[in-house]
Amino acid sequence: MKSLVIAEKPSVGRDIARVLDCRQGGNGYLEGKDYVVTWALGHLVELADPESYGEQWKEWKMETLPMLPEHLEIQVIKKTGGQYQTVRKQMCRKDVGQIIIATDAGREGELVARWIIQKAGVKKPMKRLWISSVTDKAIRQGFSNLKDAREYHKLYEAAVARAEADWMVGLNATRALTVKHNAQLSCGRVQTPTLAIIAKREEQIRSFKPREYYGLKVKGSGLFWTWKSPQGGSSTFSKEEVEDVLKNATNSTAVVEDVKKKQQKSFAPQLYDLTALQQDANKMFGFSAKQTLDFMQALYERHKVVTYPRTDSRYLTADIVETIPERLRACRSGVYAPICGRLLKTPVKANKSFVDDKKVSDHHAIIPTEQSVNLKDLEYGERRIYELVVSRFLAVLMPPCEYQQTEVTAACQGGKFTLKGRVLQQPGWQEIRNLQKEAGFAAEEESEDGNEMGFEKEEAGIPDFSKGQKILFSEGRIVQGKTKPPVPFTEATLLAAMENPVKYMDSSDKKLRQTLGETGGLGTVATRADIIEKLFHSFMIEKRDKYIHLTSKGKQVLDLAPQGLTSPELTAKWEQELSDIAGGKAKKKDFEAKIRSYTTDIVKDIQASSKTYRHDNLTNKKCPECGKLMLEVNHKNGKMLVCQDRECGYRKIISKITNARCPQCHKKMELVGEGENRRFTCACGYREKLSAFEKRRKESGGGVSKKDVSRYMNKMKQEAKEPVNNAFADALSKIKL
């Protein structure tokens, strides 16, 4: 008898098939002596549409809500129905004795396979392959250590509970809002609290009142000393206070009271999980969260040079340590080759800073695999992300950065002053940071919360001082600044807020706050990028420069949505219960009963609401297909016109931010207009026809060919065809108003 292996994606399936010597080609599967390998295309089966339960839910009407079928059914996704039939046929073969689930190792991966098996009605023994990378070595090790699939049944139940809860809450709330306000509105457990987080930051910025603060620098022994306030800081809100200090300190003699010298160590940042990687990629290269995930998927599936990307862990398990030398040999290319060579000459020193079995759940941190790659074979984005992964992997293996920090305190009639200096003794892992700076992509740290005060600065090095030494303070000057408001979210900082949204919770329940922190916050590492993209596509958020802002639609949805759906608390409660289901501490049916009751309540809240929704972005331009007035919306990279009638669905891009740089101010320009009238425009006022731009670039050797422009314009047209709100596009298209 043969074993049927079900992978999540074709590329992974083919890798497994090669290792298992399955070379006989089939339509959607590969076969060998002992194994048949087939694959899904992500999800092949999903929860059934409301319309499939009967006539009562085919039209969107308030009186038919809430939609709460006694049992939620599953259906084959039409788009990938052919592959489902292929998988089903292989499962039903008489010569197949067992099924090996080889989908991604995690809650969603478990759901992908189990729903296919359930829909096919196949009841055969099942095993589970649980691996974190798809190298040949990892696959062989995984197959030599297959698990009984029954060990993961509770994980599957938790996955089903999550999917069904999102179906009931999300679809009912979306239908209720849409019908109530005659507009294309949607809300959900993750996307609506994400909007609320952005709204809270914008409110902090609006209500912020800057305050002047003051400090003092005095010159002594050729160096500038910083005044230390009685409260311990280096500044005060009282100008009179520093004026008095300056008066007393100028031309006075100070006495050194204390000289502190400390040997300090700076350790490398932790290994990457997906969110941390997405944050750095956004800061350094401007990549969106979705772009970074796409690059990672290509590196994982096609090139096989990084481990599983959708991980929330920043640690390795102990069994990985023995593979580190082989991984170092694999990434001996590019600027990090000398560092790899040095690390290979010494034994690996594993410690709790990056190796801890207890801190790894489904998958360990992202690191390079044992497979090497020619960097020239990688696209620009793939190479940048691969180099980030390699650099962080090398950094944790390198010794800490060591330096001597000196702090000198001197006192005079005016008060106390300090001087700080740092002398580098051993660069250690900072060598990686220096290489990144030379390459031009080291991220500058930006204060997210603003409101910082202080003028203290460390000198590169300072001369030796001794206790009791006298210093003449010959001159001084007052320095001043203003407290700064919080900075609007970028994709990097929004990802961080979604991962740790505790400070945006209204509840003071310590257990809930702890759960939200432990379970990874809003969404998962695998879904946050898609959530942000959905908010852009549904025009509830927009981007100005690199910063994210709520649109009028987003603000109104927050006001109209039931209050419980706007807080991260709901996710915390769900994750708490889902974790209990996966761990066998709670029952799925009890969780489902609560969700049904909650769904009924939120529909009643929306029905009873007296609030209204209005379009404030209507234009005087009529839709060429249905004649209704169109809406002007900001999409992620420009502007477009969208028909207000969802059934019509017409949309047209009117401008798009490009990578072409303005020759005057060097900012990215917008491409606007149609046909021969297409032109580049810049915020500084610069204008240039597309034809003139092409000619200028060609003459300067810029190399933008007609083929490049044609490819770019085709991409724009393709984006214009995409649904406005991917999350609910199919459902919303059936609205009958």
Side-chain angles (χ1 to χ4, degrees):
M1 298 291 279
K2 295 186 177 183
S3 296
L4 176 70
V5 181
I6 304 176
E8 190 158 330
K9 300 179 183 71
S11 58
V12 178
R14 292 188 186 101
D15 289 335
I16 292 173
R18 188 187 67 255
V19 172
L20 298 179
D21 199 29
C22 298
R23 304 184 184 280
Q24 185 179 338
N27 184 16
Y29 70 96
L30 290 164
E31 188 169 351
K33 180 183 176 184
D34 300 312
Y35 297 92
V36 179
V37 180
T38 188
W39 46 81
L41 301 168
H43 280 280
L44 296 180
V45 176
E46 63 183 356
L47 288 170
D49 296 327
E51 293 80 4
S52 66
Y53 291 93
E55 293 292 324
Q56 74 274 22
W57 292 331
K58 285 189 176 178
E59 290 190 29
W60 289 39
K61 295 179 180 179
M62 192 67 82
E63 55 266 31
T64 63
L65 299 178
M67 304 175 293
L68 296 171
E70 187 176 347
H71 298 290
L72 267 69
E73 305 292 335
I74 55 177
Q75 65 185 18
V76 176
I77 299 173
K78 290 180 181 178
K79 189 176 179 180
T80 53
Q83 184 60 22
Y84 165 78
Q85 293 300 334
T86 296
V87 178
R88 180 180 179 278
K89 186 177 179 180
Q90 302 311 308
M91 284 194 289
C92 294
R93 283 172 48 165
K94 291 182 179 180
D95 62 338
V96 168
Q98 73 169 355
I99 297 170
I100 299 173
I101 297 173
T103 45
D104 289 349
R107 194 164 71 187
E108 281 305 301
E110 202 66 28
L111 196 63
V112 167
R114 299 288 188 121
W115 268 356
I116 296 170
I117 296 166
Q118 180 184 332
K119 186 64 180 173
V122 175
K123 298 186 183 298
K124 292 183 178 181
M126 294 188 294
K127 296 284 188 181
R128 187 54 159 109
L129 175 73
W130 196 270
I131 56 176
S132 290
S133 65
V134 288
T135 61
D136 291 5
K137 182 177 180 180
I139 293 168
R140 289 192 189 96
Q141 287 179 341
F143 270 90
S144 67
N145 191 32
L146 291 172
K147 310 288 186 181
D148 190 320
R150 287 174 292 190
E151 294 178 26
Y152 299 90
H153 183 73
K154 294 295 182 184
L155 182 67
Y156 163 61
E157 284 193 334
V160 173
R162 195 278 311 155
E164 292 182 346
D166 277 332
W167 188 98
M168 287 186 275
V169 172
L171 289 184
N172 277 289
T174 293
R175 280 202 178 194
L177 279 176
T178 298
V179 175
K180 172 80 174 179
H181 302 288
N182 193 19
Q184 303 158 17
L185 308 178
S186 67
C187 64
R189 172 182 61 90
V190 177
Q191 68 175 34
T192 315
T194 302
L195 286 178
I197 286 174
I198 300 170
K200 188 164 282 191
R201 172 56 54 84
E202 291 189 346
E203 175 56 33
Q204 289 171 344
I205 295 170
R206 276 194 302 273
S207 61
F208 181 82
K209 293 180 180 178
R211 294 181 68 187
E212 294 272 1
Y213 62 90
Y214 307 90
L216 180 63
K217 298 279 188 181
V218 294
K219 192 172 185 179
S221 297
L223 297 168
F224 280 99
W225 297 64
T226 302
W227 171 63
K228 193 172 184 180
S229 75
Q231 291 75 33
S234 60
S235 56
T236 176
F237 289 117
S238 171
K239 188 175 183 180
E240 292 77 13
E241 184 180 3
V242 293
E243 286 176 338
D244 287 342
V245 173
L246 176 61
K247 183 178 178 181
N248 291 322
T250 304
N251 296 319
S252 69
T253 300
V255 178
V256 174
E257 288 188 338
D258 193 19
V259 179
K260 293 179 181 176
K261 291 189 177 184
K262 290 183 179 179
Q263 293 298 123
Q264 300 279 44
K265 291 183 179 181
S266 165
F267 294 91
Q270 289 180 291
L271 292 168
Y272 281 124
D273 62 6
L274 179 59
T275 302
L277 181 65
Q278 287 169 321
Q279 288 176 265
D280 275 4
N282 183 254
K283 290 175 187 174
M284 293 181 184
F285 315 122
F287 294 158
S288 70
K290 184 68 167 62
Q291 284 177 312
T292 299
L293 179 55
D294 289 344
F295 292 141
M296 276 297 295
Q297 285 295 134
L299 292 168
Y300 170 67
E301 294 175 15
R302 186 163 72 247
H303 301 291
K304 304 175 210 29
V305 292
V306 299
T307 56
Y308 185 73
R310 297 168 188 255
T311 177
D312 59 359
S313 176
R314 306 189 72 172
Y315 292 85
L316 303 178
T317 50
D319 60 310
I320 299 295
V321 175
E322 65 182 32
T323 71
I324 287 177
E326 199 171 344
R327 296 172 195 269
L328 285 170
R329 282 188 283 272
C331 51
R332 278 187 301 181
S333 58
V335 295
Y336 301 120
I339 294 175
C340 291
R342 289 206 308 270
L343 288 171
L344 281 166
K345 292 177 181 177
T346 57
V348 174
K349 294 180 180 178
N351 57 62
K352 285 287 185 179
S353 68
F354 68 98
V355 180
D356 191 339
D357 288 15
K358 293 178 181 178
K359 294 183 179 179
V360 179
S361 52
D362 295 340
H363 302 282
H364 59 66
I366 299 169
I367 59 174
T369 65
E370 301 94 328
Q371 188 148 318
S372 60
V373 66
N374 185 339
L375 295 179
K376 293 180 180 178
D377 293 338
L378 302 179
E379 295 177 7
Y380 170 78
E382 293 170 349
R383 176 167 179 168
R384 285 304 194 204
I385 297 301
Y386 177 67
E387 287 176 330
L388 271 187
V389 173
V390 170
S391 66
R392 186 58 60 87
F393 173 62
L394 298 179
V396 300
L397 298 174
M398 296 176 74
C401 170
E402 296 182 23
Y403 58 93
Q404 184 185 73
Q405 184 170 289
T406 303
E407 181 177 357
V408 183
T409 303
C412 67
Q413 189 178 355
K416 293 189 177 183
F417 294 81
T418 61
L419 185 65
K420 288 185 177 181
R422 177 182 293 192
V423 177
L424 182 66
Q425 296 172 326
Q426 167 65 43
W429 71 271
Q430 284 281 359
E431 189 177 345
I432 296 286
R433 185 65 56 82
N434 295 336
L435 287 171
Q436 288 179 329
K437 286 179 181 177
E438 289 173 13
F441 62 85
E444 294 295 327
E445 290 301 320
E446 183 180 60
S447 170
E448 183 185 338
D449 296 324
N451 212 8
E452 289 187 343
M453 289 173 57
F455 302 100
E456 204 151 15
K457 179 184 174 185
E458 287 190 350
E459 303 288 342
I462 58 175
D464 287 332
F465 289 91
S466 57
K467 192 172 181 179
Q469 182 177 340
K470 294 182 179 180
I471 299 164
L472 176 64
F473 286 159
S474 59
E475 60 180 281
R477 60 185 172 88
I478 294 174
V479 288
Q480 65 186 77
K482 280 187 179 181
T483 55
K484 296 178 181 178
V487 178
F489 284 116
T490 62
E491 283 204 45
T493 55
L494 181 57
L495 282 168
M498 292 175 74
E499 184 179 42
N500 188 23
V502 171
K503 64 181 177 181
Y504 302 97
M505 288 176 65
D506 296 324
S507 172
S508 58
D509 186 318
K510 289 184 179 179
K511 194 171 181 182
L512 274 182
R513 296 167 79 90
Q514 183 182 350
T515 297
L516 199 58
E518 291 174 350
T519 56
L522 287 173
T524 66
V525 290
T527 61
R528 287 186 196 115
D530 286 333
I531 293 296
I532 294 173
E533 289 296 308
K534 286 171 186 174
L535 292 174
F536 277 120
H537 281 298
S538 58
F539 311 119
M540 288 194 272
I541 61 175
E542 62 187 14
K543 192 176 279 189
R544 299 176 207 157
D545 293 326
K546 65 178 180 178
Y547 296 113
I548 294 171
H549 297 271
L550 285 183
T551 62
S552 171
K553 181 178 181 180
K555 292 172 186 174
Q556 291 187 78
V557 165
L558 268 180
D559 185 49
L560 299 171
Q563 191 172 3
L565 272 179
T566 64
S567 170
E569 282 180 59
L570 182 64
T571 288
K573 291 175 181 176
W574 282 22
E575 285 297 340
Q576 207 169 53
E577 296 184 66
L578 292 172
S579 178
D580 286 344
I581 293 170
K585 299 175 185 176
K587 294 182 179 179
K588 175 179 173 289
K589 66 177 183 179
D590 295 334
F591 175 73
E592 184 182 320
K594 292 179 185 177
I595 295 300
R596 288 174 178 271
S597 175
Y598 178 70
T599 301
T600 301
D601 290 342
I602 62 173
V603 170
K604 286 179 180 177
D605 287 348
I606 294 170
Q607 287 174 329
S609 174
S610 59
K611 296 176 181 178
T612 58
Y613 178 86
R614 66 183 181 86
H615 289 297
D616 60 359
N617 56 342
L618 273 174
T619 68
N620 59 4
K621 297 181 176 68
K622 291 186 177 180
C623 173
E625 295 187 6
C626 73
K628 293 182 180 178
L629 292 178
M630 293 196 290
L631 310 172
E632 182 177 305
V633 297
N634 292 321
H635 64 94
K636 190 175 182 181
N637 295 307
K639 292 184 175 67
M640 66 169 61
L641 293 173
V642 179
C643 181
Q644 63 176 295
D645 188 333
R646 180 68 197 193
E647 283 194 76
C648 172
Y650 177 81
R651 63 194 288 184
K652 175 185 177 183
I653 289 178
I654 55 177
S655 74
K656 176 123 180 160
I657 297 170
T658 71
N659 286 323
R661 297 283 178 174
C662 172
Q664 291 182 176
C665 69
H666 306 296
K667 290 183 178 179
K668 290 183 178 180
M669 297 191 292
E670 277 189 283
L671 185 62
V672 301
E674 295 181 273
E676 294 181 358
N677 294 322
R678 283 175 293 176
R679 66 188 184 280
F680 285 103
T681 67
C682 181
C684 73
Y686 180 79
R687 302 286 186 273
E688 184 177 25
K689 280 191 172 183
L690 176 61
S691 56
F693 171 81
E694 291 176 16
K695 183 179 179 182
R696 177 170 60 83
R697 288 298 297 270
K698 189 175 182 180
E699 288 174 353
S700 66
V704 177
S705 66
K706 288 185 178 180
K707 186 177 180 182
D708 293 329
V709 175
S710 175
R711 188 185 301 116
Y712 181 74
M713 296 307 297
N714 286 334
K715 183 181 178 184
M716 287 175 62
K717 290 176 185 176
Q718 185 61 38
E719 288 182 6
K721 294 176 184 177
E722 292 177 358
V724 173
N725 184 3
N726 294 339
F728 294 99
D730 293 337
L732 288 171
S733 66
K734 299 164 188 170
I735 301 176
K736 306 294 181 187
L737 298 173

